[in-house]
Amino acid sequence: MEQSLAARDHCGQRPLKQPSLALMAHLVLTGLTKRYGQTVAVASLDLAVERGESVALLGPSGCGKTTTLRMLAGLIAPDAGRVTVADQDLTQVPTHKRDMGYVFQSYALFPHLDVAANVAFGLAERGIARSERDRRAREALALVRLAGFEGRRPRELSGGQQQRVALARALVLRPQVLLLDESLSNLDARLRESMRHEIREIQRNLAITTLFVTHDQTEALTMCDRIAVMNRGRIEQIGTAREIYDTPATRFVAGFVGRINTIPLARDATGLNAGGIAIRAHGVPDGPVDLFLRPQLVALAARSEPAGDANRLEGVAARTVFVGDRSEVLVDTAAGRLVVELAPGAPAPADGAEIALLWAPETGRVFAREDA
Amino acid sequence: MKAPARIAWLALPAGAVLAFVYVYPMLDLGRMSFNRTGPTGAMVPDWSLAIWRELLADPFTLELTWNSIVLSAVATTGALLLAYPLALFLFRTDSRWRGLIAAIAITPMLVNGVARVFGWLAILGDRGLVNSILLSAGLVDQPVRLVYNWTGVAIGLTESLMPYMILALMAGFGRLDRTLEEAAASLGAPPWRRFMRVTLPLSLPAIVLGWLLCFVLAMSAYITPKLLGGGRVFLLATEIFELAVTNVNWPMAAALALYTLILLLLFLAAYGALARRAA
């Protein structure tokens, strides 16, 4: 761990040069491809992860994110492309020589071994003496707050505890790279939330290069430095949570990450319109397009309020839904039903109230319509 | 796990059949073992321990027991070693040949035992396949005796146990999970170590299940030892038949049959005790 921390500092000492990503990056995937028959699971995927960085592979099931992770770990062989870690080509290296920690979705704890033996499994493979193994296993268990559980069997543990044993088992080896495959999806909502923060903290403290596969955007947003949104075997966009959320690069990213309104737009002689109402927007591609609008970027206003430079769409408040930490208003407009987030402290409009929606032209994102 | 009384009647049909074809004959056999053999060889009804005393005092009984246990253990272990890799392959392959290979592995069960023995005679006999090859290759001057002795019986018995072993192993492999081996690999274990530290320990229940089942089958095997043993191989099962049919000594045959049964029950009890200790 001291080692990887030192290495990180070393990287941090060269901020003046604008470093090429490929030179800086600790983990690099180049042109990684996997086909199953006619289906392309992963299509020439490129990804560079810096030392100590945590990157999420976010996407719907079947997008190729787990296949990517398994190729990285050497559990399946890519049809093309390369995997390098610290400038070392690992593409042909078998899993057991890759020095990557892998936390499986099912945890994959060894049922015939107790918790301490599970955690010490990899240490034994490295020929470390028994007493040293025990000491390090205890340390790793303390790190995941499971001190005192050494003698338990995996089946005697709750899901969250098993999850943490799996994490300790991977971390105790101080791997170069940590791979997490939907590691929280089998936990209940409360536990998932606390584990998110726990894992994130451990990952940060150890400064361990981490790739985290998930279909849960909250997990991706809260646990990772950057997010790679995957769809159909490709990375659609990679960036920080903010970038992904505020400026989605593609229609898929806009629709997949966060709640969003999709408003079909039409073209006429003067420009774009939504349900006959003229709309202004930036970055409009050719052909049929849709407008994507975040619920919290739309303001509720009285019909009498002037629109100014903003787009304006009249509607009728259908219903206000209290979602716990905020309220959402469903508004029926000429362009369909839209969801608008109620500003904190603002009074909810009465059901059936005639209102107007206002938003600045630059807040919406416009993407070409997909052939349905 | 206690079955509610309401569903206990589900066990009734099987219970009735077992009572009729198993419990009653066993009781009858038990009763018979306390009879005496008259001077003419006919069975004389009695309540005497004479037969049991004679059986247990006879050193031949001990020899039969030893022979049966050693042969069964050897054949069962041989079947295990041959069946384990195949069963493991069948359990986890997603090859499209899986069904076919499984069927081929199990068909010997469908072949009549006598027919199978004649197959072995054709292969292992003095002028059989193996000896022809050995002789023509100049490896031996005289045919090697592979049948009508212990070797032949062990080979035939091993083969006849294999289908049962494969089925028992595949049924017992329940806890084997590919992901566990992947986890072991990610922790730095090369293939052989993965097998020794994960696959083998987790398939131990299957190995014990298959071994016990086949051991019991081997102990009661009759046709293969009889035909491949050529009268030189003496076992509990063959001796029971000899006593009952050739010597017409029914009380003694009954006593030896019960003796064999008790022996097997002791084996299973010992296994049960061991299994409880391990758990």
Side-chain angles (χ1 to χ4, degrees):
Chain A
M1 271 161 252
E2 292 84 352
Q3 219 177 9
S4 47
L5 273 172
R8 195 181 199 200
D9 288 342
H10 181 63
C11 282
Q13 280 164 3
R14 309 181 285 177
L16 292 177
K17 270 188 273 177
Q18 183 66 40
S20 120
L21 201 56
L23 271 177
M24 275 283 287
H26 184 216
L27 167 68
V28 181
L29 309 183
T30 331
L32 212 58
T33 301
K34 184 72 193 175
R35 289 179 218 93
Y36 291 110
Q38 294 299 306
T39 326
V40 178
V42 176
S44 190
L45 185 132
D46 297 317
L47 178 66
V49 183
E50 285 178 42
R51 195 179 283 274
E53 191 187 24
S54 167
V55 171
L57 289 179
L58 173 68
S61 50
C63 73
K65 55 193 193 299
T66 294
T67 306
T68 304
L69 204 68
R70 291 173 65 79
M71 284 194 279
L72 233 162
L75 296 173
I76 49 179
D79 292 320
R82 284 190 311 136
V83 175
T84 62
V85 174
D87 290 331
Q88 232 192 322
D89 190 338
L90 297 182
T91 316
Q92 301 300 327
V93 175
T95 302
H96 64 273
K97 290 182 183 157
R98 284 202 184 190
D99 192 21
M100 293 184 183
Y102 199 113
V103 179
F104 292 81
Q105 183 173 10
S106 60
Y107 318 136
L109 298 180
F110 304 118
H112 58 299
L113 301 176
D114 64 18
V115 166
N118 262 282
V119 175
F121 190 96
L123 296 171
E125 289 304 324
R126 281 157 180 74
I128 289 164
R130 169 138 220 143
S131 58
E132 173 74 2
R133 283 201 312 251
D134 289 349
R135 191 184 61 75
R136 285 221 229 154
R138 266 199 310 278
E139 267 177 25
L141 283 169
L143 184 72
V144 296
R145 297 196 290 118
L146 278 180
F149 284 74
E150 285 81 1
R152 302 273 193 99
R153 289 286 169 137
R155 64 167 181 275
E156 297 168 340
L157 303 180
S158 70
Q161 290 166 340
Q162 291 187 26
Q163 214 278 330
R164 280 182 278 169
V165 174
L167 190 64
R169 184 175 69 176
L171 289 175
V172 76
L173 300 173
R174 302 170 190 185
Q176 293 208 65
V177 175
L178 180 63
L179 308 174
L180 301 161
D181 182 10
E182 301 266 8
S183 299
L184 300 179
S185 62
N186 286 342
L187 304 179
D188 64 59
R190 272 178 63 98
L191 197 53
R192 202 154 54 216
E193 190 153 339
S194 67
M195 283 305 298
R196 277 208 283 268
H197 297 299
E198 246 174 79
I199 293 179
R200 176 64 167 149
E201 205 156 303
I202 291 170
Q203 186 268 331
R204 268 198 173 151
N205 290 339
L206 303 183
I208 190 164
T209 307
T210 302
L211 214 60
F212 186 94
V213 156
T214 181
H215 64 267
D216 180 333
Q217 45 174 301
T218 319
E219 251 164 56
L221 293 170
T222 55
M223 288 183 66
C224 298
D225 300 314
R226 285 191 300 153
I227 298 173
V229 182
M230 280 189 75
N231 185 35
R232 296 189 191 156
R234 292 172 198 284
I235 292 181
E236 299 245 345
Q237 185 178 6
I238 179 157
T240 64
R242 265 262 86 88
E243 287 163 7
I244 298 276
Y245 191 82
D246 290 345
T247 52
T250 68
R251 181 190 172 93
F252 174 82
V253 175
F256 189 75
V257 181
R259 294 161 312 133
I260 205 153
N261 292 298
T262 311
I263 304 167
L265 298 182
R267 284 179 207 272
D268 54 33
T270 56
L272 296 167
N273 73 76
I277 317 292
I279 297 287
R280 279 173 304 124
H282 297 297
V284 180
D286 295 335
V289 291
D290 293 320
L291 173 66
F292 287 76
L293 206 51
R294 298 275 179 211
Q296 69 273 31
L297 297 178
V298 182
L300 284 171
R303 290 254 170 117
S304 54
E305 201 169 309
D309 287 337
N311 286 309
R312 183 172 184 279
L313 205 55
E314 291 189 348
V316 174
R319 203 147 50 84
T320 302
V321 187
F322 179 61
V323 214
D325 49 354
R326 61 182 190 274
S327 289
E328 293 174 352
V329 186
L330 306 181
V331 183
D332 289 322
T333 71
R337 172 169 284 191
L338 304 185
V339 181
V340 178
E341 195 173 312
L342 203 57
D351 292 355
E354 297 193 336
I355 53 173
L357 302 178
L358 304 177
W359 72 92
E362 62 272 17
T363 54
R365 307 275 299 171
V366 180
F367 296 109
R369 190 169 301 157
E370 277 174 349
D371 300 325
Chain B
M1 266 199 285
K2 226 176 196 174
R6 255 179 336 127
I7 60 162
W9 57 269
L10 286 173
L12 215 62
V17 171
L18 278 179
F20 188 67
V21 306
Y22 183 69
V23 178
Y24 167 70
M26 288 313 293
L27 291 174
D28 197 38
L29 213 58
R31 171 71 191 88
M32 213 183 278
S33 70
F34 295 107
N35 289 342
R36 278 184 302 114
T37 320
T40 57
M43 188 162 67
V44 182
D46 197 358
W47 280 105
S48 112
L49 287 171
I51 289 291
W52 280 101
R53 226 176 271 131
E54 192 187 327
L55 177 75
L56 296 176
D58 190 346
F60 189 50
T61 308
L62 192 65
E63 194 189 323
L64 288 174
T65 310
W66 178 248
N67 287 351
S68 280
I69 290 175
V70 170
L71 176 71
S72 301
V74 166
T76 304
T77 307
L80 175 68
L81 293 177
L82 292 172
Y84 185 88
L86 182 61
L88 195 58
F89 167 76
L90 286 174
F91 181 74
R92 53 170 49 154
T93 185
D94 35 15
S95 153
R96 61 183 147 146
W97 302 108
R98 181 194 163 140
L100 185 68
I101 297 169
I104 290 172
I106 288 159
T107 29
M109 259 167 66
L110 310 177
V111 178
N112 178 288
V114 178
R116 213 156 48 188
V117 166
F118 281 115
W120 277 117
L121 289 175
I123 294 171
L124 302 175
D126 283 358
R127 309 171 80 175
L129 189 65
V130 173
N131 271 317
S132 308
I133 292 171
L134 289 177
L135 285 169
S136 61
L139 292 170
V140 291
D141 304 326
Q142 294 286 313
V144 185
R145 284 246 98 175
L146 293 172
V147 284
Y148 305 133
N149 57 11
W150 287 100
T151 313
V153 176
I155 292 173
L157 204 53
T158 300
E159 185 264 347
S160 74
L161 291 175
M162 275 192 54
Y164 299 96
M165 187 63 91
I166 290 168
L167 287 177
L169 286 175
M170 284 175 72
F173 278 157
R175 277 209 302 176
L176 279 189
D177 177 356
R178 204 67 204 249
T179 317
L180 294 177
E181 282 165 47
E182 292 179 347
S186 80
L187 295 168
W192 174 246
R193 300 272 301 162
R194 299 206 278 275
F195 177 75
M196 292 306 286
R197 294 187 73 193
V198 178
T199 314
L200 190 61
L202 287 176
S203 54
L204 219 50
I207 290 173
V208 172
L209 176 75
W211 202 90
L212 276 177
L213 175 76
C214 289
F215 182 78
V216 172
L217 286 173
M219 287 286 280
S220 52
Y222 170 74
I223 293 175
T224 306
K226 181 74 190 166
L227 297 183
L228 281 174
R232 295 184 187 84
V233 168
F234 300 98
L235 298 165
L236 288 169
T238 52
E239 190 60 18
I240 293 167
F241 183 85
E242 291 297 314
L243 286 170
V245 174
T246 314
N247 301 7
V248 207
N249 188 345
W250 284 25
M252 186 63 98
L256 195 60
L258 283 177
Y259 169 86
T260 307
L261 179 69
I262 291 165
L263 203 65
L264 288 177
L265 288 176
L266 285 177
F267 259 103
L268 291 179
Y271 159 70
L274 272 174
R276 261 194 305 281
R277 272 251 309 270

